[in-house]
Amino acid sequence: MADFLELQLSELELLGSMFPGQGELVLDDPATVADARQYVDGQTDTAPAGRLEFTVNLKLQEPQKTQVSVQCSLPQDYPDKLPDLNIWTSSITRQKQSQLNLELSEYLQSLPHGELCVNTALEWVQDNTSRFLGPASPSKQNKPASSSSTFARYWIYSHHIQSKFKRRDLNEWAGKLGVTGFYLPGKPGIICVEGEKERCEEYWKWVRELNWKKISLRHHEETELTGGQTVDSLRKFEGFGEKVFGAHNFHGRSFHMDLGEFYQFLKEHQCDTIYAMFFGVEGKRTDS
């Protein structure tokens, strides 16, 4: 692992010299970089628990001035394994953004195995993003029409939710679409969204476009609005955000939640029957 980390640190130093401006290269957790350096230098026998993760903010000039963020997450055995890269910009639609990320992934797969490639990938992004830029305004396409007569609640099950980038996206998309609910990070990962049916469908569509080991819509509820009912009157959650319950090994790449506390949370929101649908057993409250 030390050899891999040494290569990663050398590439990170190179990127720092190429993008020295304020806000151009942003480390997610500088402490992880410091831990990796100490491990490589032999100052400690403890390998860093987390990945080296950072964002490079590129400023494109043609065909229009645009900022493009490339989020980078390096597996501990990179460059033997490919890095996890994700492109984000407010200047293109979600559909085009998904296609851009797909083409980047295909490009990475075509590169020689075992070589450092983040800098090469950034050059590809600079050369190819312009093909996806156009006059369309993504802000007008992010929200479906607010005319639904049906309330919905979607329960989504994932093998795990760990990536900081995915967790950020889950929060941002909920805000854009006006859905409420929560997501449970760790292993397994669970997402609940509620609101107008069309908005829940759109959220589920966006979530499916991300790269998952396994994800499925485990259950959904729909209620036709009648007798003066409103979408807000049927919500069981306020806002949207991450829920953490007694996480074990939370600072590593793999962590598990206290499912007893999670069951109690569902019970408090009158959703405890969903527990058996996810885990195949009746929920039990964790003894305090």
Side-chain angles (χ1 to χ4, degrees):
M1 180 186 293
D3 291 340
F4 289 138
L5 286 175
E6 187 171 10
L7 289 171
Q8 293 177 29
L9 290 170
S10 67
E11 185 171 40
L12 188 57
E13 290 175 2
L14 173 63
L15 293 174
S17 67
M18 296 177 62
F19 302 98
Q22 184 175 4
E24 286 188 305
L25 176 63
V26 181
L27 301 177
D28 277 23
D29 184 7
T32 301
V33 177
D35 290 344
R37 172 55 63 192
Q38 289 184 342
Y39 180 71
V40 168
D41 292 344
Q43 299 177 27
T44 177
D45 294 329
T46 304
R51 295 183 175 196
L52 299 185
E53 295 180 321
F54 52 92
T55 299
V56 179
N57 294 306
L58 305 172
K59 293 182 179 179
L60 308 183
Q61 301 298 324
E62 299 292 342
Q64 60 195 52
K65 291 185 178 180
T66 303
Q67 177 166 305
V68 177
S69 298
V70 183
Q71 300 143 347
C72 310
S73 178
L74 307 182
Q76 290 188 333
D77 47 1
Y78 166 76
D80 188 53
K81 286 187 178 180
L82 289 174
D84 294 329
L85 304 182
N86 182 66
I87 306 168
W88 185 89
T89 175
S90 61
S91 300
I92 61 176
T93 63
R94 283 217 48 79
Q95 183 178 6
K96 288 183 177 181
Q97 189 162 285
S98 296
Q99 183 62 33
L100 178 59
N101 276 292
L102 176 61
E103 291 191 16
L104 172 60
S105 178
E106 293 172 346
Y107 174 71
L108 290 173
Q109 295 286 347
S110 73
L111 296 176
H113 176 263
E115 295 186 3
L116 296 171
C117 61
V118 172
N119 183 42
T120 304
L122 293 174
E123 292 178 351
W124 185 93
V125 172
Q126 290 174 310
D127 292 340
N128 288 272
T129 300
S130 60
R131 293 189 288 111
F132 295 83
L133 296 173
S137 174
S139 62
K140 295 181 180 179
Q141 302 181 27
N142 278 338
K143 290 189 178 182
S146 178
S147 59
S148 176
S149 61
T150 305
F151 172 86
R153 184 177 296 110
Y154 281 24
W155 295 93
I156 302 166
Y157 183 91
S158 169
H159 178 270
H160 64 267
I161 301 176
Q162 295 173 350
S163 165
K164 294 180 181 178
F165 307 143
K166 288 179 181 176
R167 289 150 75 178
R168 182 210 61 188
D169 288 344
L170 293 177
N171 279 316
E172 286 188 356
W173 296 346
K176 289 180 179 179
L177 291 169
V179 294
T180 52
F182 68 92
Y183 70 92
L184 184 76
K187 185 176 181 182
I190 293 172
I191 307 168
C192 171
V193 290
E194 60 180 9
E196 296 177 9
K197 178 182 176 181
E198 289 82 357
R199 299 193 178 205
C200 291
E201 289 176 344
E202 187 75 4
Y203 189 89
W204 170 226
K205 176 183 176 183
W206 289 359
V207 168
R208 291 200 310 271
E209 291 176 353
L210 297 174
N211 183 27
W212 301 93
K213 182 174 182 179
K214 180 181 179 182
I215 194 165
S216 62
L217 179 61
R218 188 62 61 90
H219 179 67
H220 72 280
E221 310 159 30
E222 294 183 7
T223 303
E224 294 293 330
L225 301 180
T226 60
Q229 286 180 320
T230 65
V231 168
D232 288 343
S233 70
L234 296 177
R235 296 183 193 270
K236 293 185 177 180
F237 302 94
E238 293 185 8
F240 185 93
E242 179 176 286
K243 299 297 179 183
V244 178
F245 303 102
H248 303 288
N249 191 28
F250 188 80
H251 296 290
R253 287 295 298 169
S254 179
F255 51 90
H256 303 264
M257 293 297 167
D258 185 317
L259 295 182
E261 290 186 20
F262 177 52
Y263 171 72
Q264 183 61 26
F265 168 77
L266 293 175
K267 191 172 183 180
E268 291 172 356
H269 290 82
Q270 296 84 49
C271 295
D272 47 302
T273 56
I274 200 70
Y275 187 94
M277 295 184 187
F278 279 124
F279 303 108
V281 296
E282 296 297 322
K284 293 183 179 180
R285 181 176 180 176
T286 300
D287 292 334
S288 55

